[in-house]
Each structure stands twice: as structure tokens, then as C-alpha cells.
Amino acid sequence: MSLIRTENIYKNFNEIQVLADVSISVEQGEVICIIGPSGAGKSTFLRSLIQLEKITSGKLYIDEELFLHRENNITQYRIESVKYKSLLLEMGMVFQSFNLFPHKTALENIMMAPINVKNMPKPQAEALGAELLAKVGLAEKADAYPARLSGGQQQRVAIARALAMEPKIMLFDEPTSALDPELVGEVLNVMRGLAESGMTMLVVTHEMGFAREAADRVLFMSDGAITEEGSPELIFSNPNNQRTRQFLNTVLGI
Amino acid sequence: MKSANFARFKLAAIIIIIIVDILAAISYFKPSKSELLGHIPPDLISEAGNKYSEVYNNYFVFNIARGRDVKTARSATFIGFVGQVIPADEGVASAFSDVFLWLPALLDGAKITILLTITAVLAGLVLSIFLALGKIAKTKIISGFCSAYIFFFRGSPLLMQLFFIYYGLPQINPSLTINNKFMAAFFAFTLNTGAYCAEIIRAAIQSIDKGQFEASRVLGLTYAQTMRLVIIPQSIRRLIPPVANEFIMILKDASLVSIIALADLTHVTRSISSSANNVMVYIPAMIIYLIITAVFSAIFVRLEKRFSLYQ
């Protein structure tokens, strides 16, 4: 059963076409990496899944239920609002720029959504927060404000914050692109752990090493479309598509 | 720590400048011996023993300490300076002699000024949160109304708004009459400062990174929760300097209420000045304004520091 399925998603910013006929299906427990040159629409695709962007047309299914259907910027169908909210919360998102709340400590950042969205009692949220901080290796930073944390630590708190809402699928939007090179590893390790624990993940990344080793499937996007997809072995060692080959040659320096 | 010390230093500097000003004013106006003796009625000179210091002490310094009783009994026209004879009632010499006499009335006026400023700015801030959120709202009617309101109250003179509320509304409908001058001034100033603060708050909200809205949304927070828990707490620190500025502006603009005869500091000063026929009362009045603004500036510096803890 697929957790997320998209059918023919198009997205235009004014005259510019950003997404062109993107159809994918994400199965339970799958780790999918989306790679491709910048401007290919990878982030836009992720953002339109979680409704930070409005698609121009296409259908989006969550848990095999039609969630949204739009044609030419007009909503044809949208699931009723209680369901809308709960299905949307099946997705958690991690941003390139972390977007932690700077006026809250690491622990408070994690507790905010469970308390205010799920009405979780405060002690329970606190326990959950402490547990998640330990999971990302930051148990001792519970009371630190984001400004006191390194980029890698901030991103790990951001991952814990997203996990606190117990999503079924995690979306990562270039989670390591804003980090200093020596901080990339700690974030990728947390993500690897998450993948091993069976979390369904959709990762937009430029970390080819991570994609190769952690992904079940790699999607290559260029010019708003998925031009190639397959197992990491296939994509990285024997890509069919000319664009894929070109891109990999550039980034891997082959 | 550094900024608190700096604030304290600033306050001390202001107080020293004020004291030096007073001393300079007094010594500048101190008449020379010949001037003084040349214009003093003979009977008074004999009474004082013909000694400059004694005359001066008796009739000038003494007046400062004791106030009007001595002056009215003795004044007439004997104080001169810079080659001119000036009746004591109009002259500079009597100026500071009456400071202690004026002070209670001036402080009463200052109380009204401070009370009006604080209440109007607080009420205006509450009003402005709704105006600011209204202006950035997606509903056109709401944002249109709030924009128009802000445009009107920022674009027309506060004095006219005050006149209109106090004199104009009763003519439109007698039930709109506001008999209490303080209440009329309070309404006018609240409506006006609400418009200004709304723009301050709107700018502060829009200066918050878009990522904060997106993170909140992705976590499932509603718009109201996002504003209350994420955006407004972060805006507060950015709000304090411009709101402090607005506060000081309103404090000074509060002098406009003297025109509807509300007994604020300016009004009291004007009435003392005209009844005593003495313009010197403006100097202590302005000093009181300076002290009030200095104190509130220091308070705002503290507030800003308190809200920047997490930075």
C-alpha cells in the first residue's frame, strides 16, 4: 500500500513550468532520494506534497485516499477539513534552513506541536521531547537555545521536532545543504538511523554517498520531470539517461 | 551589563546638564552691584545696609527660597540687569524665585501628561495588534478597512483628530459628547497611536523569516497559534525600539491637549506663564519633560535587554 501517490502533478510559477507531469508512489518503509541539478523542481515537489506550494494541476493521494485534485489552478476536490488536517500531519518536514523557533529551547521546540496540536499533557510532551533528543544524540542540549547550537545540532533538533508529531513519512528538503562540511556527517547519521528503524523517507539531497547507500530507490529530476528512476546501483553505475549521466559526472567528478 | 551601565551613565549626564543649566541661568541673570544698587528704592537700600551682597541675598536669593510672599511685599521695580530696569514680576530675577511655588502645579500637570501617554499607548498597542493582523489578512474587506484606518489616522493631524472628537462629535450627535476632557484626549490619542503602532507591528511581523511560518504550518499549528506562540514573541524585541520612539513622540504630542484646556504639563505651564506674566516657567517645565523622557527611555532600554535573552 502506498503512503503517498501523485498523479500528473504540474506546477507553474506564472509562465515558468516548475513541475511537469510528476507521478510517483511511495510505499510504506521506503527510503527514496531525489537527486538532480538545482532548479529541477525537487524542493518544489516536496513542498507541494506538504501543501506549502499550491500545485497547478494533478492528483495527490495520501493513504490511498484522494487528498487533493486540482486542474488549471482550480481545486476540483479537497478532502473534508478534519481529514485534511490529520492526513497532512502524516507528513513531517525538515527544512534546509532548520527553521527552529529561536525563542524556544531545544526541548520546547520539540514540545510545542504535541502540546498545542495534539493537546498532549505537558509532562508527557516533556518525556517525549527528552526521548527524541536522546535519539538524535542531543540529550544534554535540552535547555539550549538554537543560537547556542551548531548547524548540525540545530538540524538534529529539527528532525526530533518533526518526529514528535509521529509522522508516517518524513520529507527532507536538502537537510545538509546549509551545513559546514564537517557537520554533514552527524545529520546523515541520524537520518541513516531513522531509515534503518523503518521510517518512510523522501529525501531531496546532494549527498550522493547517502543516496547510494541509504536509498531503496533514487529518482533523478531535471526540468521539473522525473527523467529516470531506479535502484541506487542502477542510477549510479549504469544510468540510461543522458542527463543523469551528465549530472553524475559533474557532481561526482568522474 | 554594559548597556545598563551606559543607560545609567546617560541618565546621570542628563541630570548634570540640567543642574549646570539652572546654575548658568541663575548666575547669568545675577545683576551686578551697580545695576542692583542703582535701581533699588532708597528705603530698601538703607534697610539692607547698603551692602550689595546683603541686598542681593535679601531680595533675590531670599525670594528664591521663600517664594512669592517676599516678592510681592518687596518687589516693585528694583531688579535690573544688562543695563535695563525690569519690573520684578516680568523680569528674569523673579523667574526662579517661583520655581518652588510652581512646582506642585507643574507636577500635577506632569501626572496628567504621563497618565495620558501611558494609557493611550497601552490601549493603542492592543488596538494596533488587531489593525496589523487585519492589514496583512487575506480577506480584502478586512485588510482594506484596516489600511484605510491607518491611512486616515497617520495622514491627518493629531490636533485635528483631537478637535474633532472633542468639539465635532457632539455636533454630529449629542449622544457622542465626551464631557471628560481626559477621556476625549485618551480616545483621540489611542486611535492615533493605534495606527502608528499597527504599522510598527506589521513591519515587525513581516520581518520574521518566512521559514518560521512554514515550520509552524508543517507542524500543524493553526494561524492563531502560529501568531501567538511563534511570530509575536519573536517580534516583541524588534518592536521595543520603535514603540519606545512612538511613546516619546506621544508624550510630547500630549502637549496638544492644552488646547482643549486639559490641565497637562503644557497647559499648567501656559496658565502660570500668563497669570504670573512670566515666561521663565517654561524652563522648569521643559526640564520636567526631559526628566520624564529620560526615565522612560531608560525603562525601554531595560525592556529591550530583557527580551533579547535568547539571542
Side-chain angles (χ1 to χ4, degrees), chain A residues 81-117:
Chain A
S81 81
V82 178
K83 209 93 203 270
Y84 180 89
K85 276 185 185 166
S86 71
L87 284 181
L88 209 50
L89 283 176
E90 293 192 359
M91 291 182 269
M93 184 156 184
V94 174
F95 297 88
Q96 181 177 350
S97 50
F98 329 136
N99 296 342
L100 288 181
F101 306 130
H103 60 302
K104 299 281 178 193
T105 64
L107 185 64
E108 289 168 345
N109 261 278
I110 299 172
M111 289 160 58
M112 166 121 42
I115 289 177
N116 292 290
V117 180

Coordinates of all heavy atoms in Angstrom, one line a residue, chain A residues 81-117:
Chain A
S81 N -12.2 18.9 5.9 CA -11.1 19.5 6.6 C -10.5 18.8 7.8 O -9.3 18.9 8.1 CB -11.5 21.0 7.0 OG -12.3 20.9 8.2
V82 N -11.3 18.0 8.5 CA -10.8 17.3 9.6 C -9.8 16.2 9.1 O -8.7 16.1 9.6 CB -11.9 16.6 10.5 CG1 -11.3 15.8 11.6 CG2 -12.9 17.6 11.0
K83 N -10.2 15.5 8.1 CA -9.4 14.5 7.5 C -8.1 15.2 6.8 O -7.0 14.7 6.9 CB -10.2 13.8 6.4 CG -9.8 12.4 6.1 CD -10.6 11.4 6.9 CE -9.8 10.1 7.1 NZ -10.1 9.1 6.0
Y84 N -8.4 16.3 6.2 CA -7.3 17.1 5.6 C -6.2 17.3 6.6 O -5.0 17.1 6.3 CB -7.8 18.4 5.1 CG -6.8 19.3 4.4 CD1 -6.6 19.2 3.0 CD2 -6.2 20.3 5.1 CE1 -5.7 20.1 2.4 CE2 -5.2 21.2 4.5 CZ -5.0 21.0 3.1 OH -4.1 21.9 2.5
K85 N -6.5 17.8 7.8 CA -5.5 18.1 8.8 C -4.8 16.9 9.2 O -3.6 16.8 9.4 CB -6.2 18.8 10.0 CG -6.4 20.3 9.8 CD -6.9 20.9 11.1 CE -7.2 22.4 10.9 NZ -8.0 22.9 12.0
S86 N -5.6 15.8 9.5 CA -4.9 14.6 10.0 C -4.0 13.9 9.0 O -2.9 13.5 9.3 CB -6.0 13.7 10.6 OG -6.7 13.1 9.6
L87 N -4.5 13.9 7.7 CA -3.6 13.3 6.7 C -2.4 14.1 6.5 O -1.3 13.6 6.2 CB -4.4 13.2 5.4 CG -5.4 12.0 5.4 CD1 -6.1 12.0 4.0 CD2 -4.8 10.7 5.7
L88 N -2.5 15.5 6.5 CA -1.4 16.3 6.3 C -0.3 16.1 7.4 O 0.9 16.1 7.2 CB -1.8 17.8 6.4 CG -1.0 18.8 5.6 CD1 -0.8 18.3 4.1 CD2 -1.7 20.1 5.6
L89 N -0.8 15.8 8.6 CA 0.1 15.5 9.7 C 0.8 14.2 9.7 O 1.7 13.9 10.5 CB -0.6 15.7 11.1 CG -0.9 17.1 11.5 CD1 -1.7 17.1 12.8 CD2 0.4 17.9 11.7
E90 N 0.4 13.4 8.6 CA 1.2 12.1 8.4 C 2.5 12.4 7.8 O 3.4 11.5 7.8 CB 0.4 11.2 7.6 CG -0.9 10.7 8.2 CD -1.6 9.5 7.5 OE1 -1.0 9.1 6.5 OE2 -2.6 9.0 8.0
M91 N 2.7 13.6 7.4 CA 4.0 14.0 6.8 C 4.7 15.0 7.8 O 4.1 15.9 8.3 CB 3.8 14.8 5.5 CG 3.3 13.9 4.4 SD 3.2 14.8 2.8 CE 1.5 15.4 2.9
G92 N 6.0 14.7 8.0 CA 6.8 15.6 8.8 C 7.8 16.2 7.8 O 8.2 15.5 6.8
M93 N 8.3 17.4 8.1 CA 9.2 18.0 7.2 C 10.4 18.6 7.9 O 10.3 19.2 8.9 CB 8.5 19.1 6.3 CG 9.4 19.6 5.2 SD 8.5 20.3 3.9 CE 9.8 20.8 2.8
V94 N 11.6 18.4 7.2 CA 12.8 19.0 7.7 C 13.3 19.9 6.6 O 13.4 19.6 5.5 CB 13.9 17.9 8.0 CG1 15.2 18.5 8.4 CG2 13.4 17.0 9.2
F95 N 13.6 21.2 7.0 CA 14.0 22.2 6.0 C 15.5 22.4 5.9 O 16.3 22.1 6.8 CB 13.4 23.6 6.5 CG 11.9 23.6 6.5 CD1 11.2 23.2 7.7 CD2 11.1 24.0 5.4 CE1 9.9 23.2 7.8 CE2 9.8 24.0 5.5 CZ 9.1 23.6 6.7
Q96 N 15.9 22.9 4.8 CA 17.3 23.2 4.6 C 17.8 24.2 5.6 O 18.9 24.1 6.1 CB 17.4 23.9 3.2 CG 18.9 24.2 2.8 CD 19.0 24.7 1.4 OE1 18.0 24.7 0.6 NE2 20.1 25.2 1.0
S97 N 17.0 25.2 6.0 CA 17.4 26.2 6.9 C 16.9 26.0 8.4 O 16.8 26.9 9.1 CB 17.0 27.6 6.4 OG 15.6 27.5 6.1
F98 N 16.7 24.7 8.7 CA 16.3 24.2 10.0 C 14.9 24.8 10.5 O 14.0 24.1 10.9 CB 17.3 24.5 11.1 CG 18.8 24.5 10.6 CD1 19.6 25.5 11.0 CD2 19.2 23.6 9.8 CE1 20.9 25.5 10.6 CE2 20.5 23.5 9.3 CZ 21.4 24.5 9.7
N99 N 14.8 26.2 10.5 CA 13.6 26.9 10.9 C 13.2 26.5 12.3 O 12.0 26.4 12.6 CB 12.5 26.6 10.0 CG 12.7 27.2 8.6 OD1 13.6 28.0 8.4 ND2 12.0 26.7 7.6
L100 N 14.2 26.3 13.2 CA 13.8 26.2 14.6 C 13.3 27.5 15.2 O 13.5 28.5 14.6 CB 15.1 25.8 15.4 CG 15.6 24.4 15.2 CD1 16.8 24.1 16.1 CD2 14.5 23.3 15.5
F101 N 12.5 27.4 16.3 CA 11.9 28.6 16.9 C 13.0 29.2 17.8 O 13.3 28.6 18.8 CB 10.7 28.3 17.6 CG 9.6 27.6 16.8 CD1 9.0 26.5 17.3 CD2 9.3 28.1 15.6 CE1 8.0 25.8 16.5 CE2 8.3 27.5 14.8 CZ 7.7 26.3 15.2
P102 N 13.6 30.4 17.4 CA 14.8 30.8 18.1 C 14.5 31.3 19.6 O 15.4 31.4 20.4 CB 15.2 32.0 17.3 CG 14.0 32.5 16.5 CD 13.2 31.2 16.3
H103 N 13.2 31.5 19.9 CA 12.9 32.0 21.3 C 12.5 30.8 22.2 O 12.1 31.0 23.3 CB 11.7 33.0 21.2 CG 10.5 32.4 20.6 ND1 10.4 31.9 19.4 CD2 9.2 32.3 21.1 CE1 9.2 31.5 19.1 NE2 8.5 31.7 20.1
K104 N 12.7 29.6 21.7 CA 12.4 28.4 22.5 C 13.6 27.5 22.6 O 14.4 27.5 21.6 CB 11.2 27.6 21.8 CG 9.9 28.3 21.7 CD 9.2 28.4 23.0 CE 7.9 29.1 22.8 NZ 7.3 29.4 24.1
T105 N 13.8 26.9 23.7 CA 14.9 26.0 23.9 C 14.7 24.7 23.0 O 13.6 24.5 22.4 CB 15.0 25.5 25.3 OG1 13.9 24.7 25.6 CG2 15.2 26.6 26.3
A106 N 15.7 23.9 22.8 CA 15.6 22.7 22.0 C 14.4 21.9 22.4 O 13.6 21.5 21.6 CB 16.9 21.9 22.1
L107 N 14.3 21.7 23.8 CA 13.2 20.8 24.3 C 11.9 21.5 24.0 O 10.9 20.8 23.5 CB 13.4 20.6 25.8 CG 12.4 19.7 26.4 CD1 12.6 18.3 25.9 CD2 12.6 19.6 27.9
E108 N 11.8 22.8 24.2 CA 10.5 23.5 24.0 C 10.1 23.5 22.5 O 8.9 23.4 22.2 CB 10.6 25.0 24.5 CG 10.7 25.1 26.0 CD 11.0 26.5 26.4 OE1 11.5 27.3 25.6 OE2 10.8 26.8 27.6
N109 N 11.1 23.5 21.6 CA 10.9 23.4 20.2 C 10.1 22.1 19.9 O 9.2 22.1 19.1 CB 12.2 23.5 19.4 CG 12.5 24.8 18.9 OD1 11.9 25.2 17.8 ND2 13.3 25.6 19.5
I110 N 10.6 21.0 20.5 CA 10.0 19.7 20.2 C 8.7 19.6 20.9 O 7.7 19.0 20.3 CB 11.0 18.6 20.8 CG1 12.3 18.7 20.0 CG2 10.4 17.2 20.6 CD1 13.4 17.8 20.6
M111 N 8.5 20.2 22.1 CA 7.2 20.0 22.8 C 6.1 20.9 22.2 O 4.9 20.6 22.4 CB 7.4 20.5 24.3 CG 8.2 19.5 25.1 SD 8.9 20.3 26.6 CE 7.4 20.9 27.4
M112 N 6.4 21.9 21.5 CA 5.4 22.9 21.0 C 4.2 22.2 20.3 O 3.1 22.4 20.6 CB 6.1 24.0 20.2 CG 5.1 24.8 19.4 SD 5.0 26.5 19.7 CE 6.6 27.2 19.7
A113 N 4.6 21.5 19.2 CA 3.5 20.9 18.4 C 2.7 19.8 19.2 O 1.4 19.9 19.2 CB 4.0 20.4 17.1
P114 N 3.3 18.9 19.9 CA 2.5 17.9 20.6 C 1.5 18.5 21.6 O 0.4 18.1 21.7 CB 3.5 17.0 21.3 CG 4.7 17.1 20.5 CD 4.7 18.5 19.9
I115 N 2.0 19.6 22.3 CA 1.1 20.2 23.3 C 0.0 21.0 22.6 O -1.2 20.9 23.0 CB 2.0 21.2 24.2 CG1 2.9 20.4 25.1 CG2 1.1 22.1 25.0 CD1 3.8 21.2 26.0
N116 N 0.3 21.8 21.6 CA -0.7 22.6 21.0 C -1.5 22.0 19.9 O -2.6 22.5 19.7 CB 0.0 23.9 20.5 CG 0.6 24.7 21.6 OD1 -0.2 25.3 22.4 ND2 1.9 24.7 21.8
V117 N -1.0 21.0 19.3 CA -1.8 20.4 18.2 C -2.5 19.1 18.7 O -3.6 18.9 18.4 CB -0.9 20.1 17.0 CG1 -1.7 19.5 15.8 CG2 -0.2 21.4 16.5

